[in-house]
Amino acid sequence: MSKRVVIWAGAAVAILIVGWFVVSKYWIYVPGMLAEWRDPIGPAQAVAWGEGPETASIPARKRDPNIVVILADDLGYNDITFNGGGVADGAVPTPNIDSIGRDGVNFTQGYAGNATCAPSRAAIMTGRYATRFGFEFTPAPVAFERLVGTFSNEQQIRKPVFHEDRVAEWPDDPNKLGVPAREITIAELLKAEGYRTLLLGKWHLGGTPTSRPQSQGFDEFLGFLPGASMFLDPDDPRVVNSRQDFDPIDRFLWANLPFAVRKDTGPRYAPKEYMTDYLADEAVKAIHANRNRPFFMYLSFNAPHTPLQALKSDYDALSGIENHRLRVYAAMIRALDRGVGKVLDQLKKEGLDENTLVIFTSDNGGAHYIGLDDINKPYRGWKATFFQGGIRVPFFMRWPVRLPSGASYGEPVAHVDIFGTAAAAAGAVSPADRVMDGRNLLPYVDGKRVENPHKSLFWRSGDYKVLLSGDWKLQVSEKPKKEWLFNLRKDPTEQVNMADSKPDKLAEMKTKLAEVDGDQAKPLWPSLLEGPIPIDHPLGEPDKPTDEYIYWSN
């Protein structure tokens, strides 16, 4: 072999090594991802919402109430100023979100259906623990699960685990991972009562002909399947981006996620606006189109979930925040609050606000993988943990003709209660042929019922299980092999583990947990990934041997 050949071969190897490093560090593209993501993306198009009657046969105040459920995505408990904090120590007021709690009812112990996106949404839609029908893990592509499960971060002492032997049990298309058609959604129930049912934004509960929104009770859908989108094209001059190279989820999203929506089953297209504003503006149009008939609107924002992208105008308005990542995140919260305000203003403009039940909450707590410390303050834990930071969420209801203004309710309630409350508001009867975990909260707010709505609340993800019963909360984990027992009335931020000091209470709670757990279904698909989540610091900060942690199954 000539010297020249050796030199060229060495150069080629060097280029490959450098190229691999650049790709692995900055751009992780997984080919053949999802059919939905491979479809062509067309230019922006106008949306025609189905028009209701030109005039109302019954005055808005006297007819069945409109019902609007507004869901944020990964909103931290401390991200809104209503809770006494707010992003960057209150640098981003959230007056519109706050007004729902201020002018309605604040459920001070509001809990998510789960600590991750899709199972929580399944609980909202069905009024049942998602584990009752096997929807235990968030649908995701196998390639994504493998990437996260094999990602190496030098700051992490504990490494993720990917179960390659279980891959054959997953379908080839994550759209097939959905809520079974036999489940009854709140959209189906309300549609049967004559409501026009509308979904804008994130679904994440299946994308097959039997599991997509139109097959689960929604007359109209505008959003993204299976469950995610960019907020703008990353190269759009109107956007400011923040990438977290320490997070494999973030790196995957930047490389693979499209900026697109579709109307019903039509082709994908790129909106002209920043996604949060676009969804809010289309919600305004949909409200106008349906002003003269009862409607149910599920406005499911994808903010402030990653990828972190903000409008430059919002970013520039927050020049007092020095940390770039925090400033982008804060700007996303600013846009989210603006979007909520647009919806509330339109309801008032149409004369509908007095007789509209508006519910605001988040699918789960803020995520550790964005690398920000205080988003769930004062609570410990994050999204993908059952510590309070993962499941304690803002939970507001406003309905002026029916609910008191400025009220608060202090007993534990949960996402499963949205179904029963909305059904009762509409005069519908909840299904009687299955266990319904949710309750109608209206009589509890009125004081007509004085007992707690729930004897217990339950969560499960793989071998990590939790029961909240009265003042006591038990968390049981197999990896690590550990039990946490907290008295939330005395210790609401879960600082003092009483598992060793209260053996009788521990035994009692374990018995109760086992009973509820035994009533749940086997997962419809297995967990491929177990990921370590530190409880007390975000990703991007080094692990310590003394850290408390859990392994989250998905």
Side-chain angles (χ1 to χ4, degrees), residues 82 94-104 340 344 396 398:
F82 185 91
T94 53
N96 297 302
I97 295 172
D98 295 354
S99 73
I100 304 172
R102 183 193 66 236
D103 299 336
V340 171
L344 298 179
F396 307 145
R398 178 185 179 274

Side-chain angles (χ1 to χ4, degrees), residues 354-477:
E354 290 293 308
N355 196 26
T356 296
L357 171 60
V358 177
I359 301 173
F360 178 87
T361 187
S362 176
D363 61 347
N364 45 250
H368 86 302
Y369 50 73
I370 63 175
L372 297 176
D373 287 301
D374 294 333
I375 55 177
N376 295 320
K377 188 178 179 180
Y379 299 114
R380 301 176 68 196
W382 315 89
K383 172 185 179 178
T385 80
F386 291 133
F387 279 76
Q388 296 290 82
I391 54 176
R392 189 80 172 263
V393 290
F395 201 112
F396 307 145
M397 291 187 185
R398 178 185 179 274
W399 184 11
V401 301
R402 178 67 172 78
L403 294 175
S405 175
S408 63
Y409 184 80
E411 300 301 332
V413 301
H415 279 166
V416 289
D417 298 321
I418 292 174
F419 186 110
T421 305
V429 178
S430 292
D433 63 343
R434 62 199 66 200
V435 175
M436 298 299 295
D437 297 297
R439 303 288 181 265
N440 167 21
L441 296 179
L442 299 177
Y444 295 95
V445 174
D446 287 343
K448 294 177 181 177
R449 300 192 67 169
V450 296
E451 74 276 19
N452 291 353
H454 299 279
K455 292 182 179 179
S456 64
L457 291 171
F458 170 82
W459 296 266
R460 184 181 79 189
S461 184
D463 291 328
Y464 181 30
K465 306 168 187 178
V466 179
L467 187 77
L468 176 63
S469 179
D471 296 339
W472 294 89
K473 180 181 175 185
L474 173 66
Q475 302 190 57
V476 175
S477 168

Side-chain angles (χ1 to χ4, degrees), residues 204-475:
H204 214 177
L205 300 180
T208 65
T210 60
S211 63
R212 62 176 59 231
Q214 297 90 330
S215 300
Q216 296 277 25
F218 285 99
D219 291 309
E220 296 185 82
F221 164 65
L222 174 65
F224 18 88
L225 295 174
S229 171
M230 303 292 281
F231 293 86
L232 270 177
D233 186 301
D235 296 322
D236 192 302
R238 297 171 294 175
V239 77
V240 178
N241 305 309
S242 176
R243 303 181 187 230
Q244 288 68 251
D245 290 331
F246 51 78
D247 173 32
I249 297 174
D250 196 63
R251 291 162 63 176
F252 172 87
L253 294 178
W254 285 105
N256 295 281
L257 203 61
F259 172 56
V261 295
R262 68 175 76 236
K263 177 66 166 64
D264 300 324
T265 57
R268 295 196 306 171
Y269 63 91
K272 289 184 178 180
E273 293 181 89
Y274 181 72
M275 186 62 76
T276 305
D277 285 319
Y278 178 73
L279 293 175
D281 289 342
E282 288 300 328
V284 165
K285 296 176 185 177
I287 290 170
H288 179 71
N290 291 279
R291 63 195 179 280
N292 292 322
R293 61 181 172 187
F295 62 84
F296 166 61
M297 175 178 287
Y298 177 37
L299 177 52
S300 180
F301 288 108
N302 57 327
H305 195 296
T306 52
L308 299 187
Q309 293 185 289
L311 275 178
K312 188 174 185 298
S313 55
D314 287 325
Y315 183 85
D316 290 346
L318 300 174
S319 58
I321 301 176
E322 296 182 0
N323 181 294
H324 172 70
R325 188 187 319 137
L326 178 60
R327 187 171 168 186
V328 172
Y329 184 76
M332 295 176 76
I333 301 295
R334 190 172 191 260
L336 176 65
D337 187 72
R338 178 172 63 243
V340 171
K342 290 178 179 180
V343 171
L344 298 179
D345 288 346
Q346 187 65 25
L347 290 171
K348 187 172 184 178
K349 179 180 178 181
E350 302 287 359
L352 304 175
D353 58 323
E354 290 293 308
N355 196 26
T356 296
L357 171 60
V358 177
I359 301 173
F360 178 87
T361 187
S362 176
D363 61 347
N364 45 250
H368 86 302
Y369 50 73
I370 63 175
L372 297 176
D373 287 301
D374 294 333
I375 55 177
N376 295 320
K377 188 178 179 180
Y379 299 114
R380 301 176 68 196
W382 315 89
K383 172 185 179 178
T385 80
F386 291 133
F387 279 76
Q388 296 290 82
I391 54 176
R392 189 80 172 263
V393 290
F395 201 112
F396 307 145
M397 291 187 185
R398 178 185 179 274
W399 184 11
V401 301
R402 178 67 172 78
L403 294 175
S405 175
S408 63
Y409 184 80
E411 300 301 332
V413 301
H415 279 166
V416 289
D417 298 321
I418 292 174
F419 186 110
T421 305
V429 178
S430 292
D433 63 343
R434 62 199 66 200
V435 175
M436 298 299 295
D437 297 297
R439 303 288 181 265
N440 167 21
L441 296 179
L442 299 177
Y444 295 95
V445 174
D446 287 343
K448 294 177 181 177
R449 300 192 67 169
V450 296
E451 74 276 19
N452 291 353
H454 299 279
K455 292 182 179 179
S456 64
L457 291 171
F458 170 82
W459 296 266
R460 184 181 79 189
S461 184
D463 291 328
Y464 181 30
K465 306 168 187 178
V466 179
L467 187 77
L468 176 63
S469 179
D471 296 339
W472 294 89
K473 180 181 175 185
L474 173 66
Q475 302 190 57

Side-chain angles (χ1 to χ4, degrees), residues 77 108-109 111 376-381 386-392 410 468 470-473 475 485-498:
Y77 188 85
T108 59
Q109 282 202 75
Y111 287 94
N376 295 320
K377 188 178 179 180
Y379 299 114
R380 301 176 68 196
F386 291 133
F387 279 76
Q388 296 290 82
I391 54 176
R392 189 80 172 263
L468 176 63
D471 296 339
W472 294 89
K473 180 181 175 185
Q475 302 190 57
L485 179 67
F486 299 106
N487 184 317
L488 294 185
R489 187 170 297 277
K490 297 179 180 179
D491 181 23
T493 59
E494 298 173 296
Q495 302 295 323
V496 181
N497 184 2
M498 305 180 76

